[in-house]
Amino acid sequence: MSQDSVGHPLLAGLDEQQREAAQALRGPVGILAGAGSGKTRTISHRIAYGIDRGVFAANRILALTYTNRAASELRSRLRSLGVTEVAVRTFHSAALGQLQFFWPQLTGGLPPKLLTNKLPALREVLGELRLELRDEELRELAAEIELVSYSLVSPGQYLERERGVIAGFSPERFVTVLEAYSNYKQQKRLADWEDVLTLTLGLLRSEDRMLEHVQQQYRFFTVDEYQDISPLQQALLETWLGEREDVCVVGDPRQAIYGFAGADAGFLTGFGSRYPNAEIFELNRNYRSTSEIVASANSVASTRNLEPVRGELTSPVVIEAASASAEAKRIASGIAKSLAEGWAPSDIAVLSRINSQLEPIERELGTLGISVQVRGAGRFFRIPEVQKAMLAIRALQISTQPQPLFMLLSEILSQLGWSSQESKSEKWRNLNWFMEIFDELGSPSLDEFVRELGERERSGDEPIREAITLATVHATKGLEWRAVYLCGLNQGWFPISHAKTEAQLAEERRLFYVAITRACDQLTMSYISDRERSSFLKLL
């Protein structure tokens, strides 16, 4: 480590672990970053430092994330460091951009229309098969279809996996529905988000000229949340890379919670085996949580303990309630007390394993007049003015408009009730979100803007309101709150009843770890006395 690099302004604010990782600019780099350890800070400074040293060309970097929120945060960090040319995309957004660019060159026509929500299409397919499912079963069916796509398995391979009954269907019946859904998309010239990845992968692997174009465009890769990568996404990443090894992956095996959706943390844990010359770094200093919350997290994690930086002592609290209703009242009362003491609503979250556990809490908070935001439920994109704005913006793609996109967007939003004068009304805030996205992307093209909106809808990335957050733990990766209430810690709920195998129970335990590490200052866990307590509470 040179004395010059130690004193470099882009490294000065990093701790020793972060600085060592940020200085590793050549070849394959793996960063195992614990919860609250400053991974976004580290990778943003690594990118900026590499550009400053002339190792990276800013316009040839592709930084890949899994959520739009993570992409937004990384863009913001890079801008604050004076870096504006780096492409920061989700896997889906990057693939969609390439598909829309190359498809017309290859076929002379437009690519398949993007199916942003597969549930209505699945209902139509099931109707043709004279089948009907409840909403919950339909979502389960959609999730299984996504698992098949992300795992790169054929229908025959799927049957060999013996997955059991899905949404009331035997494996054989599920495959019948899966094939009917595939035929439906082909007939309607539709592509869902998984198809976007699959089609882009196939196109690049079969067309050398187009693959060469992408490989010339992007030379240096950074992949965040690498523990969540699926075989399909890994195949696409390897295709983008080709024979090159200029890739930095960042992730945490302790937070691998999407195995049920096709993610394979083995790509992260086996990174050093695939790249024997890789440099591997660990970030384990937790800046987020009090020492006792960190201690609770360490008691749940099976490897790599976090090192607390904050010394404050605030013990996590476990409370017992007689019923779900009583639990909701206890939580709502605690939240009301914090608000009365001056806490901001956005500082507080209530987390659960499954959505239905949040319903009595939402009702109880509503009774007290406390506003909530249910994260990950997609409610924002069902608001009438938001739906109308989305339709109008997408319609711009099939018309020729001479005005700049900013003016067109202003006209659309103004017609729906927006103005450039800030307002406290909820409708104005909903519509202003479109302007915020436009500004964040830095005057994007129409296609880029529409892709981003579609990606936000797919991932349920809604604007953050000044309200109490209600969310399942799966919807909280990368987020944090001053106070977290974790409810419903009973056997069959957390861990979930259908987690039977050792691997499934291990993933549930990692999910519990993620829940704990969302809390900065206060952590309250609760269970209902008429059901067996969660076995996870015995770990604390």
Side-chain angles (χ1 to χ4, degrees):
M1 185 187 303
S2 71
Q3 189 64 37
D4 176 62
S5 63
V6 171
H8 195 284
L10 287 170
L11 301 176
L14 305 182
D15 69 26
E16 184 179 355
Q17 293 178 343
Q18 295 167 345
R19 187 167 57 249
E20 288 181 355
Q23 284 182 280
L25 303 177
R26 305 279 185 180
V29 174
I31 303 174
L32 302 175
S37 64
K39 70 179 177 66
T40 305
R41 179 179 178 80
T42 302
I43 59 177
S44 59
H45 280 255
R46 177 182 181 271
I47 290 170
Y49 177 65
I51 294 169
D52 184 77
R53 294 298 296 262
V55 177
F56 303 154
N59 61 353
R60 299 193 67 194
I61 299 172
L62 178 58
L64 295 158
T65 69
Y66 280 85
T67 67
N68 300 96
R69 190 209 58 79
S72 175
E73 182 180 356
L74 182 53
R75 285 191 202 106
S76 176
R77 295 286 186 99
L78 288 171
R79 276 199 301 270
S80 71
L81 297 173
V83 175
T84 58
E85 292 184 79
V86 172
V88 184
R89 306 276 188 269
T90 64
F91 268 93
H92 292 87
S93 178
L96 181 59
Q98 292 173 19
L99 186 67
Q100 291 176 335
F101 180 76
F102 289 122
W103 190 278
Q105 299 178 35
L106 185 64
T107 68
L110 295 174
K113 183 180 177 183
L114 182 63
L115 183 64
T116 56
N117 182 353
K118 60 169 59 70
L119 297 186
L122 283 173
R123 280 198 186 91
E124 194 171 334
V125 169
L126 290 171
E128 292 174 357
L129 296 173
R130 297 187 178 181
L131 299 170
E132 189 174 346
L133 292 180
R134 301 190 307 273
D135 287 350
E136 183 178 338
E137 292 173 323
L138 195 65
R139 286 192 290 270
E140 185 182 352
L141 176 65
E144 192 74 1
I145 289 172
E146 291 170 8
L147 171 65
V148 170
S149 296
Y150 286 127
S151 301
L152 286 178
V153 300
S154 66
Q157 291 170 324
Y158 176 83
L159 291 174
E160 291 174 2
R161 290 190 170 194
E162 300 180 352
R163 287 278 293 171
V165 175
I166 300 295
F169 295 147
S170 67
E172 292 76 15
R173 192 60 163 159
F174 168 77
V175 167
T176 299
V177 174
L178 174 64
E179 292 174 340
Y181 173 62
S182 297
N183 292 334
Y184 171 89
K185 288 185 293 180
Q186 289 178 356
Q187 291 167 5
K188 302 279 189 179
R189 294 201 74 253
L190 297 170
D192 59 27
W193 280 105
E194 303 87 74
D195 293 329
V196 167
L197 299 179
T198 304
L199 289 170
T200 304
L201 177 63
L203 185 151
L204 294 178
R205 286 185 170 180
S206 62
E207 298 293 327
D208 292 342
R209 177 178 60 84
M210 296 175 181
L211 177 58
E212 185 179 351
H213 179 103
V214 172
Q215 291 181 343
Q216 285 292 322
Q217 182 179 14
Y218 297 121
R219 179 74 174 79
F220 310 97
F221 293 80
T222 298
V223 187
D224 192 14
E225 300 286 5
Y226 191 59
Q227 78 278 351
D228 293 334
I229 199 167
S230 68
L232 174 56
Q233 291 161 325
Q234 176 68 20
L236 188 55
L237 175 63
E238 290 174 357
T239 301
W240 285 333
L241 274 168
E243 298 300 316
R244 301 166 302 178
E245 296 188 344
D246 287 306
V247 59
C248 172
V249 301
V250 188
D252 184 3
R254 291 161 290 193
Q255 299 185 69
I257 59 174
Y258 289 104
F260 73 94
D264 185 352
F267 290 118
L268 173 61
T269 56
F271 185 76
S273 299
R274 290 199 315 284
Y275 295 102
N277 61 329
E279 292 188 83
I280 308 294
F281 301 90
E282 291 199 28
L283 308 181
N284 277 318
R285 303 191 72 201
N286 179 285
Y287 291 87
R288 176 185 298 156
S289 307
T290 65
S291 58
E292 292 189 67
I293 292 175
V294 171
S296 294
N298 285 338
S299 68
V300 172
S302 55
T303 58
R304 296 187 181 89
N305 282 349
L306 295 170
E307 302 168 17
V309 174
R310 298 177 56 190
E312 300 98 318
L313 300 177
T314 55
S315 299
V317 175
V318 179
I319 60 177
E320 176 185 344
S323 64
S325 175
E327 181 182 47
K329 289 182 186 298
R330 289 281 296 274
I331 290 173
S333 174
I335 290 173
K337 183 174 182 291
S338 295
L339 295 177
E341 292 172 353
W343 285 50
S346 56
D347 285 338
I348 304 170
V350 183
L351 310 184
S352 68
R353 176 62 180 84
I354 51 179
N355 269 311
S356 59
Q357 292 174 300
L358 297 170
E359 292 170 3
I361 297 166
E362 182 178 8
R363 287 195 297 270
E364 192 63 36
L365 289 170
T367 300
L368 297 178
I370 299 173
S371 61
V372 303
Q373 178 174 24
V374 183
R375 186 173 182 84
R379 294 185 185 181
F380 176 76
F381 295 98
R382 295 195 293 270
I383 296 171
E385 62 264 23
V386 174
Q387 289 184 322
K388 290 174 183 176
M390 295 281 275
L391 285 171
I393 293 166
R394 285 173 176 149
L396 294 175
Q397 290 184 300
I398 57 174
S399 62
T400 303
Q401 301 287 348
Q403 301 104 309
L405 178 56
F406 177 79
M407 292 181 64
L408 294 170
L409 180 60
S410 297
E411 288 177 14
I412 289 171
L413 299 179
S414 296
Q415 290 169 6
L416 294 171
W418 176 86
S419 74
S420 57
Q421 194 76 24
E422 184 173 352
S423 167
K424 292 183 179 180
S425 77
E426 187 167 340
K427 184 175 185 179
W428 183 90
R429 288 197 299 267
N430 293 338
L431 293 171
N432 194 60
W433 175 79
F434 291 91
M435 280 297 185
E436 292 172 353
I437 301 303
F438 182 87
D439 291 340
E440 178 194 317
L441 295 177
S443 298
S445 69
L446 175 59
D447 286 344
E448 288 172 334
F449 190 54
V450 171
R451 280 199 299 271
E452 183 71 15
L453 294 179
E455 250 291 273
R456 303 256 174 168
E457 183 177 16
R458 180 195 69 82
S459 60
D461 184 32
E462 307 179 12
I464 296 175
R465 293 170 44 217
E466 191 53 68
I468 306 299
T469 297
L470 305 182
T472 62
V473 182
H474 279 107
T476 66
K477 283 293 293 296
L479 300 175
E480 61 183 56
W481 294 269
R482 284 186 63 193
V484 167
Y485 290 83
L486 180 57
C487 68
L489 286 174
N490 293 86
Q491 284 297 109
W493 289 341
F494 206 166
I496 199 75
S497 58
H498 56 69
K500 304 290 187 184
T501 68
E502 186 176 330
Q504 289 170 336
L505 287 169
E507 183 155 305
E508 289 290 300
R509 181 167 168 169
R510 291 193 296 271
L511 189 63
F512 185 51
Y513 173 89
V514 168
I516 290 172
T517 54
R518 299 312 93 196
C520 298
D521 301 332
Q522 294 181 11
L523 174 63
T524 303
M525 296 169 280
S526 58
Y527 66 94
I528 297 171
S529 59
D530 62 0
R531 291 179 63 117
E532 183 184 356
R533 279 177 28 139
S534 170
S535 56
F536 291 155
L537 289 173
K538 299 173 185 176
L539 300 172
L540 302 175

